[in-house]
Amino acid sequence: MTSLVVFAGFFAALFALWLTKKWRTRAGLILSVLPFLQVVFFLYLLFTKTAEPVRMNLPWGDIIGLSLAFNFDGLGLLFAVLISGIGFFVCLYASGYLKGHQDLGRFYFWLFIFMASMLGVVLSDNLILLFIFWELTSLSSFFLIGFKHDEQRSRDAALQALLVTGLGGLAMLAGFVLIGEISGTYVISELFHSGHLLRESTLYLPALILVLAGAFTKSAQFPFHFWLPNAMEAPTPVSAYLHSATMVKAGVYLLARLLPIMGGTAEWQNIIVVVGAITTVIGAILALGQTDLKRLLAYSTVSALGTMTMLLGYGDTLAVKACIIFITAHAFYKGALFMIAGSIDHEAGTRDIRFLGGLAKKMPVTAVTAAVAALSMAGVIPFFGFVAKEVLYERVLQANLWVLAAVVFAAFANVIVAILICINPFWRRPVEISDSPLKTIHEAPVAMLTGPIVLAFIGLMVGVFASGSGEIIKAVVSATVQQSVNIKLALWHGLTPPFILSLLTLIAGFGVYFLIPYLRILLQKLYRLPGPEKIYQLSWQFTLRFASIIIDKLQNGYLRYYLSTIIISVIGGAGLTLLLKGGLQLPEQLLAPRFYEIGLVLIVLIAAFYATIAKSRLAAVASMGAIGFSISILYLLFGAPDLSMTQFLIESLTVILFVVAFYHMPRFADFSSPHARVRDVFIALFTGALMTVLVMSSLGNRIFPPISQYYAENAYLLGHGRNVVNVILIDFRGIDTLGEITVLSIAALGVFALLKYRNRKGSKEISK
Amino acid sequence: MNSFILRVTIRYLLPLLLLFSIYTFLRGHNEPGGGFAAGLIAAASLSLYTIAYGAKRARQVLSIDPRFLIGSGLLLALISGLIPILMGKPFLSGVWLKIPIPRNTPFDIGTPFFFDLGVFFVVAGVTLMFVFIFEEEI
């Protein structure tokens, strides 16, 4: 029953397609009811049921260890609340942002697919199930980034995100399989008890690296961070939702989930802390020089994700606590700021802070909301961001100096980014005047204001009443580290070192903010240096070039070349294997042929020869028919009436088809050069020889007892039929037949399309 | 094609061939035959009709689009594979119903029968689609 809450989004996605056709403007409002109900439900569970988490395990694919297992524990529920809560606001926001868009249905469809898959990721209690949902989030992210599919940039960004996260996901699957092989289970809550098996295994390091590849690509860790800022091509609601608040945190979630299973080792700590710290710094450096509001936020998200990852690398209670609080605070302020950036773009027509200014008078509510969210981001007391930064500093003050420096630098950059977003567009005059004058600007509609306001003010309230949320954080951290921990949360700790450090960061950030226009010039020169994205681009170009070489050779449009390519590959592959593996065993004695068999074979031979030298099409077809019918008689003689019958019918139909087609065919002509004919003769001879040898060898090599015995014995008992061939076709090997008729249908559709539509646009190539 | 002999012959042959195709289909379970062969025979009969009278009239005789035949055949095969799942058996296993009829003749009907019927429809549909399109478009 509870699992229906997870799957509800998939049904809502289908419903959305219909709903947006029916009520274009109200659809977003109606659809947002689902995430609202979900968030109420998850909050209820989070407040009451975390001590004894609700679990379920329904069978699905037992053979591969897959089951519909869900675990509603503290960690999963916190993420579920964030996903459905922010999802609710994004839904509302999108109804204003994409008002009247022609593809609204498609948008909500993928948004809800994403929402449901993301809930699946964080609530799955089975690694394989988690992987399936994980890939679904990558897929929906692909379609959402590429939502403006008529723009090359959107398509490239979507493909890049899909390739990077998809490849990571595949590596992760391999890692999961290793975990499953070592531990003997894919159920996460069972893995909690067998973590030691895993950590002592020799395959621990490969499994860890593979899983980390998945987590790092998804959470945009260095050197895979480049896809996230490019993904900003997506409509802003998507950026706010997928690429800051939820999907990119899936990697962080995975690390938190696996912490009690794989964590605590030196490898775990070293790899994750180093990668996380590098990402923290790189993200911060890349953020500072940006002028596009969304890219500014995107790089600061990369930096924040680095910090979260790093904290999980340490994995002690304090680090996990800092990480959980940071995730929550970040989701609130970053979600709000993204939506605000979208509102600015929507109303002012640009997101470039150089061209923006003085919007506070025209959009006062947005300006105030931006200020509230930015204050939380900068970590000013009494906002939740401050609490997060306090705990973060408390932890990294215990760590080594490099990590401390990285985190302080990122926090300092965060302050600058926060000021840039809440001051520049609203309160300053534009630095440069845009070519196109800003259109008449007014306040964003209510639908687009609700989300940012509520999220920003939650950030304030949770901060002020920080001690009240201590219980929830305690439940989440306990679920993460899988032991009961005692955690208290307070806004004010006194004049502790973290507070002083926090204050210094703020002052430094505020001071450097005024230097940003000069720094930006310097930084943008730095950005021109090749980064990991260059490697992605080079390998992508290489792939395309390699593919085009192969396609030019193989897909040249001449059917006769396709045929000879296929045949030569078969001769090469099967023939070489036969020779090299010593499969060439001819049976010692063959049955003496009967005279009518010799006669039939002679007919076949003569007809085959005549077909190659025939001077008219009718003669060629007739001799091919003679071959077919003779073979069908041979089948009959060797006791295969079904095969014979089918062959006979096929031959007849081929003749009929030829008769229909003959009338319209061009004059019979000899297309092949003598040179090509010689080549074709050899291909034909080799093919014939190979088939003969193969059949004979298969008589000589009997490795397994023939299965025909089983079929013959059980056809009537199990299949209720005396015709063994037919029982095999429709019962014993029904799935083969199902595949075959499917292929047949697809081929028919292909023929239909080729012939039916060849007179339309681009018909020339086809009709040739 | 304007052949008087063919035109007259096919009018009498068509019902016979269709009947023969049903016969082939039904006997397929115990004797040579089955959905594939039966589908080909049915298609062959209407193909001859097409040669004699043209695809337009053949389509009227068939009265449903071959594409519909293909689709419903695939669906039928799929459903007959899904029924055993509802009964807790693996996909495509045979589920049989014994129908008692007088004189003690065993008459069992099961999902493979419908599967074979699906094959029949697909094969007939695909072949007829080829023939019709060839006749109309080339």
Side-chain angles (χ1 to χ4, degrees), chain A residues 448-729:
Chain A
M448 289 168 68
L449 280 175
T450 320
I453 293 178
V454 176
L455 288 176
F457 280 91
I458 289 177
L460 175 62
M461 297 322 262
V462 181
V464 174
F465 301 105
S467 47
S469 55
E471 278 301 303
I472 299 295
I473 299 295
K474 180 185 155 189
V476 176
V477 175
S478 303
T480 310
V481 297
Q482 282 295 304
Q483 48 187 302
S484 191
V485 291
N486 207 4
I487 283 179
K488 284 204 169 52
L489 213 60
L491 180 64
W492 179 247
H493 287 279
L495 272 176
T496 49
F499 179 74
I500 295 164
L501 198 55
S502 189
L503 210 61
L504 287 176
T505 324
L506 270 176
I507 295 167
F510 198 69
V512 177
Y513 161 70
F514 294 100
L515 301 175
I516 276 297
Y518 312 103
L519 263 178
R520 193 180 286 147
I521 300 164
L522 205 73
L523 282 166
Q524 283 180 344
K525 274 189 188 139
L526 187 69
Y527 298 164
R528 294 209 192 97
L529 294 177
E533 189 175 8
K534 193 82 193 159
I535 301 173
Y536 168 84
Q537 279 165 351
L538 285 177
S539 47
W540 178 237
Q541 281 161 9
F542 172 78
T543 312
L544 287 185
R545 221 167 277 160
F546 186 64
S548 78
I549 291 172
I550 292 188
I551 287 169
D552 283 348
K553 288 268 178 248
L554 294 181
Q555 304 279 324
N556 48 24
Y558 293 101
L559 280 177
R560 52 183 180 276
Y561 288 142
Y562 290 0
L563 262 183
S564 48
T565 308
I566 294 169
I567 291 172
I568 290 171
S569 316
V570 171
I571 300 173
L576 272 181
T577 315
L578 203 62
L579 286 177
L580 295 178
K581 302 258 173 180
L584 200 63
Q585 280 179 11
L586 300 184
E588 281 161 21
Q589 59 179 56
L590 296 166
L591 290 173
R594 287 164 286 190
F595 70 94
Y596 42 86
E597 287 164 11
I598 297 176
L600 277 170
V601 169
L602 275 178
I603 295 175
V604 169
L605 283 177
I606 294 167
F609 182 72
Y610 186 69
T612 59
I613 58 161
K615 288 290 171 214
S616 83
R617 210 173 261 123
L618 189 64
V621 171
S623 31
M624 290 304 283
I627 299 173
F629 287 124
S630 313
I631 289 177
S632 124
I633 297 172
L634 275 177
Y635 285 149
L636 199 61
L637 292 177
F638 285 101
D642 276 280
L643 204 54
S644 165
M645 188 172 182
T646 312
Q647 172 81 14
F648 201 85
L649 284 164
I650 291 281
E651 287 302 331
S652 320
L653 270 168
T654 315
V655 170
I656 291 178
L657 275 177
F658 263 116
V659 169
V660 176
F662 258 169
Y663 186 69
H664 308 275
M665 278 189 165
R667 202 174 52 81
F668 187 73
D670 203 352
F671 289 110
S672 316
S673 64
H675 172 73
R677 295 210 115 192
V678 173
R679 182 200 60 201
D680 290 349
V681 165
F682 275 102
I683 293 177
L685 282 177
F686 272 116
T687 315
L690 178 76
M691 288 318 290
T692 314
V693 172
L694 262 183
V695 171
M696 287 181 143
S697 299
S698 72
L699 288 174
N701 289 336
R702 272 271 153 85
I703 302 170
F704 301 105
I707 197 167
S708 44
Q709 194 69 28
Y710 169 84
Y711 285 146
E713 279 166 10
N714 289 297
Y716 191 69
L717 291 174
L718 300 175
H720 296 233
R722 276 187 292 272
N723 178 1
V724 183
V725 176
N726 205 41
V727 171
I728 290 174
L729 278 179

Side-chain angles (χ1 to χ4, degrees), chain A residues 140-269:
Chain A
S140 39
S141 162
F142 169 77
F143 283 105
L144 287 169
I145 298 172
F147 182 65
K148 289 174 265 179
H149 57 85
D150 43 2
E151 286 174 25
Q152 177 76 34
R153 282 159 60 93
S154 297
R155 294 200 302 271
D156 287 347
L159 190 63
Q160 187 182 53
L162 183 71
L163 285 175
V164 174
T165 57
L167 282 175
L170 282 181
M172 187 182 82
L173 177 64
F176 284 172
V177 170
L178 282 183
I179 294 177
E181 288 296 311
I182 298 167
S183 318
T185 177
Y186 287 101
V187 179
I188 298 172
S189 49
E190 285 172 15
L191 282 167
F192 287 146
H193 307 298
S194 57
H196 58 279
L197 277 179
L198 207 60
R199 289 190 293 269
E200 287 154 14
S201 162
T202 47
L203 286 173
Y204 170 72
L205 193 60
L208 180 67
I209 290 173
L210 288 169
V211 170
L212 288 184
F216 287 171
T217 48
K218 197 76 162 181
S219 282
Q221 298 296 301
F222 180 85
F224 309 112
H225 60 278
F226 53 85
W227 73 263
L228 182 55
N230 291 338
M232 294 299 134
E233 291 298 327
T236 304
V238 174
S239 310
Y241 191 34
L242 273 72
H243 305 123
S244 90
T246 55
M247 188 185 85
V248 289
K249 292 201 176 100
V252 176
Y253 165 80
L254 185 71
L255 293 181
R257 196 35 108 201
L258 294 176
L259 179 66
I261 302 168
M262 303 182 88
T265 60
E267 294 96 328
W268 171 280
Q269 181 167 342

Side-chain angles (χ1 to χ4, degrees), chain A residues 390-405:
Chain A
E390 286 280 281
V391 189
L392 172 63
Y393 277 171
E394 192 185 340
R395 176 63 188 86
V396 290
L397 276 169
Q398 301 170 11
N400 80 37
L401 206 59
W402 287 103
V403 171
L404 179 65

Side-chain angles (χ1 to χ4, degrees), chain A residues 641-642 645-646 649-650 652-653 656-657 659-661 664-665 716 718-724 726-727 729-731 734-738 741-742 744-745 747-752 755-759, chain B residues 1 24 28-37 40-41 43-44 47-48 51 67 70 74 77-78 91-92 94 96 98 106 108 112 115-116 119 122-123 126-127 129-131 133-138:
Chain A
D642 276 280
M645 188 172 182
T646 312
L649 284 164
I650 291 281
S652 320
L653 270 168
I656 291 178
L657 275 177
V659 169
V660 176
H664 308 275
M665 278 189 165
Y716 191 69
L718 300 175
H720 296 233
R722 276 187 292 272
N723 178 1
V724 183
N726 205 41
V727 171
L729 278 179
I730 63 171
D731 198 345
I735 201 154
D736 288 359
T737 311
L738 189 62
I741 55 176
T742 311
L744 200 60
S745 312
L749 286 181
V751 170
F752 182 81
L755 292 178
K756 198 85 183 171
Y757 298 108
R758 75 197 165 117
N759 292 329
Chain B
M1 200 176 286
T24 315
H29 220 58
N30 293 325
E31 310 287 335
F36 195 90
L40 287 177
I41 294 171
S47 303
L48 284 175
I51 294 172
R67 280 179 291 174
I70 299 175
L74 274 182
L78 190 69
F91 180 57
L92 277 174
W96 294 90
K98 277 194 196 297
D108 301 351
F115 185 83
D116 210 14
V119 174
V122 172
V123 170
V126 168
T127 318
M129 187 150 127
F130 285 169
V131 174
I133 295 252
F134 260 52
E135 216 274 338
E136 284 164 353
E137 298 292 329
I138 291 183

Side-chain angles (χ1 to χ4, degrees), chain A residues 289-474:
Chain A
Q290 304 298 330
T291 55
D292 180 326
L293 281 175
K294 277 177 81 178
R295 289 186 89 84
L296 201 63
L297 288 167
Y299 279 114
S300 87
T301 305
V302 170
S303 172
L305 291 167
T307 310
M308 295 167 197
T309 306
M310 184 202 73
L311 286 169
L312 289 171
Y314 286 119
D316 52 277
T317 310
L318 185 57
V320 171
K321 177 186 166 192
C323 180
I324 297 295
I325 296 176
F326 192 31
I327 288 172
T328 320
H330 179 263
F332 292 144
Y333 68 68
K334 206 44 95 42
L337 286 176
F338 258 114
M339 290 191 217
I340 287 165
S343 299
I344 294 173
D345 189 15
H346 195 254
E347 300 300 327
T350 176
R351 298 193 302 250
D352 197 316
I353 47 174
R354 288 170 302 179
F355 303 135
L356 288 165
L359 290 179
K361 277 186 198 140
K362 287 167 177 162
M363 308 171 75
V365 185
T366 312
V368 173
T369 316
V372 174
L375 284 171
S376 185
M377 178 173 177
V380 176
I381 194 165
F383 291 88
F384 197 30
F386 168 77
V387 182
K389 208 200 283 183
E390 286 280 281
V391 189
L392 172 63
Y393 277 171
E394 192 185 340
R395 176 63 188 86
V396 290
L397 276 169
Q398 301 170 11
N400 80 37
L401 206 59
W402 287 103
V403 171
L404 179 65
V407 170
V408 173
F409 177 71
F412 152 81
N414 241 3
V415 174
I416 298 175
V417 171
I419 302 175
L420 277 174
I421 289 170
C422 79
I423 300 290
N424 279 33
F426 296 106
W427 309 97
R428 296 191 64 163
R429 287 146 67 85
V431 185
E432 290 169 41
I433 302 300
S434 135
D435 299 338
S436 53
L438 303 181
K439 54 179 184 175
T440 40
I441 299 163
H442 39 77
E443 187 58 82
V446 181
M448 289 168 68
L449 280 175
T450 320
I453 293 178
V454 176
L455 288 176
F457 280 91
I458 289 177
L460 175 62
M461 297 322 262
V462 181
V464 174
F465 301 105
S467 47
S469 55
E471 278 301 303
I472 299 295
I473 299 295
K474 180 185 155 189

Side-chain angles (χ1 to χ4, degrees), chain B residues 15-54:
Chain B
L16 284 176
L17 278 171
L18 286 177
L19 211 59
F20 181 63
S21 113
I22 295 172
Y23 165 75
T24 315
F25 171 69
L26 289 177
R27 87 196 275 263
H29 220 58
N30 293 325
E31 310 287 335
F36 195 90
L40 287 177
I41 294 171
S45 68
L46 268 164
S47 303
L48 284 175
Y49 196 87
T50 311
I51 294 172
Y53 291 100

